[in-house]
């Protein structure tokens, strides 16, 4: 598609977008921008209450299709189930935004030898993004 003006340069009408962790901040901003541009927004997050509130808010503002799938990004089977359900419900995925992430608190040398906070962070921030890319790109 050749863009001749910026009027519709970001038109996402009919596109299906997954955004992880859309309860506030950057994720909510990205999901809102996609909804404003006509995308169907698929929210995948652990926080069902906030995510469902976002879906209801979007339904009241925009005419697109929205859905929430409770997803633990650190669990492959949870990601797989959510992606498969989204594909079944939406038919395809055009956009994936890996927004879910956590941070570690404290210094590395102050952690116990099992380094649990470090590995939890890596499992969500890095491995979670790879899981989601793998599963979505398989389709």
């Amino acid at each position: 598609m050749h863009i001749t003006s910026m009027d519709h340069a970001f038109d996402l009408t009919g596109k299906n977008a997954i955004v992880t962790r859309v309860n506030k901040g950057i994720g909510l901003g990205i999901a809102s921008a996609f909804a404003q541009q006509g995308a169907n927004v698929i929210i995948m997050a652990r926080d069902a209450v906030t995510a469902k509130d976002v879906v209801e808010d979007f339904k009241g503002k925009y005419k697109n299709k929205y859905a929430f799938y409770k997803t633990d990004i650190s669990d492959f089977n949870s990601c797989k189930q959510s992606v498969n359900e989204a594909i079944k419900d939406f038919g395809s995925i055009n956009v994936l935004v890996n927004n879910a992430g956590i941070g570690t608190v404290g210094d590395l040398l102050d952690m116990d030898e099992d380094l649990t906070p470090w590995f939890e962070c890596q499992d969500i921030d890095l491995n979670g993004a790879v899981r989601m890319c793998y599963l979505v790109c398989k389709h």
Side-chain angles (χ1 to χ4, degrees):
M1 179 175 108
H2 181 68
I3 298 173
T4 57
S5 79
M6 292 305 289
D7 291 340
H8 300 287
F10 301 103
D11 183 12
L12 296 173
T13 302
K15 303 295 183 187
N16 302 315
I18 293 175
V19 183
T20 62
R21 194 171 187 245
V22 182
N23 58 338
K24 62 182 176 179
I26 293 171
L28 180 57
I30 291 168
S32 297
F34 285 171
Q36 290 169 14
Q37 294 303 315
N40 300 314
V41 179
I42 302 159
I43 297 170
M44 294 189 182
R46 290 188 293 189
D47 183 353
V49 174
T50 305
K52 288 178 181 178
D53 288 344
V54 171
V55 167
E56 290 307 310
D57 181 53
F58 284 4
K59 285 180 179 178
K61 292 179 182 176
Y62 314 109
K63 296 180 181 182
N64 318 334
K65 186 176 174 185
Y66 307 99
F68 162 70
Y69 302 93
K70 186 168 178 61
T71 311
D72 180 352
I73 299 300
S74 68
D75 180 272
F76 183 83
N77 288 326
S78 177
C79 295
K80 184 176 183 179
Q81 180 178 349
S82 294
V83 169
N84 287 340
E85 288 178 24
I87 295 291
K88 183 182 78 171
D89 294 343
F90 287 81
S92 65
I93 304 301
N94 305 101
V95 178
L96 169 63
V97 177
N98 285 305
N99 179 65
I102 63 171
T104 58
V105 177
D107 293 326
L108 180 66
L109 297 179
D110 293 333
M111 293 180 192
D112 290 335
E113 287 182 353
D114 64 4
L115 302 172
T116 298
W118 170 258
F119 289 111
E120 286 175 345
C121 180
Q122 294 303 305
D123 200 35
I124 291 175
D125 295 5
L126 178 61
N127 299 334
V130 171
R131 282 182 196 100
M132 292 299 295
C133 287
Y134 174 82
L135 292 164
V136 169
C137 290
K138 281 292 208 178
H139 289 282

